[in-house]
Amino acid sequence: MNVEMSYLTYLIVSIAMTVWVAHTLSKNGEVFLVKCFGQDEVLAKSTNHLLVVGFYLINLGFIGLRLDGWNLDQVGLIPYVGSKIGVSVLVLGGMHFFNMIMIARFGRTVSGWVRTNEYQNGPKVAPPPLPR
């Protein structure tokens, strides 16, 4: 396996996994978001889309940054590429759990802000403080 094939393998596997994970999380995470946002489906769909866009930006940027500084020799190409892919997968998983924790923690608060501002006549009210 030459250096160019190592880069190509890393890019194909990492980008394919990013697309698959984003699609899976988007499709299956919408139910969770609807529940977290107090059954507000419009807010849940909008948030879901924004999460997917952010997920792609961060992960594809990370994958691109990981292309720099490869120290390759012909004997260790496969383990080296495998470890690069492994770190990318760990970052994908870490981002997923971080997003789940933040949504579970702040989802109902955001839903309350939206409903308060939608149904109130007059000036906009500042949102209540976030729970600690």
Side-chain angles (χ1 to χ4, degrees):
M1 179 184 258
N2 63 23
V3 175
E4 289 80 19
M5 285 302 297
S6 297
Y7 284 121
L8 187 61
T9 301
Y10 167 73
L11 285 172
I12 289 170
V13 171
S14 296
I15 291 171
M17 282 191 325
T18 298
V19 170
W20 174 73
V21 169
H23 175 74
T24 301
L25 293 177
S26 173
K27 186 174 95 176
N28 297 312
E30 195 167 309
V31 174
F32 174 77
L33 290 172
V34 168
K35 182 77 171 170
C36 283
F37 291 138
Q39 306 304 319
D40 187 339
E41 289 187 33
V42 173
L43 179 60
K45 286 182 183 202
S46 174
T47 302
N48 195 25
H49 181 73
L50 292 172
L51 285 170
V52 168
V53 170
F55 185 83
Y56 277 126
L57 291 172
I58 290 172
N59 283 290
L60 294 177
F62 180 76
I63 289 167
L65 285 173
R66 301 260 310 148
L67 286 170
D68 188 33
W70 286 35
N71 185 14
L72 300 172
D73 59 12
Q74 293 301 322
V75 177
L77 285 177
I78 292 174
Y80 193 78
V81 172
S83 69
K84 289 276 191 178
I85 292 170
V87 170
S88 296
V89 170
L90 287 173
V91 169
L92 283 170
M95 279 188 55
H96 168 65
F97 284 112
F98 175 78
N99 285 341
M100 296 289 287
I101 290 167
M102 292 297 106
I103 290 167
R105 183 171 179 193
F106 299 115
R108 293 196 194 279
T109 303
V110 170
S111 179
W113 294 343
V114 170
R115 274 195 231 117
T116 298
N117 287 329
E118 278 181 355
Y119 298 115
Q120 186 165 9
N121 294 328
K124 299 287 183 198
V125 176
L130 292 174
R132 294 194 187 253

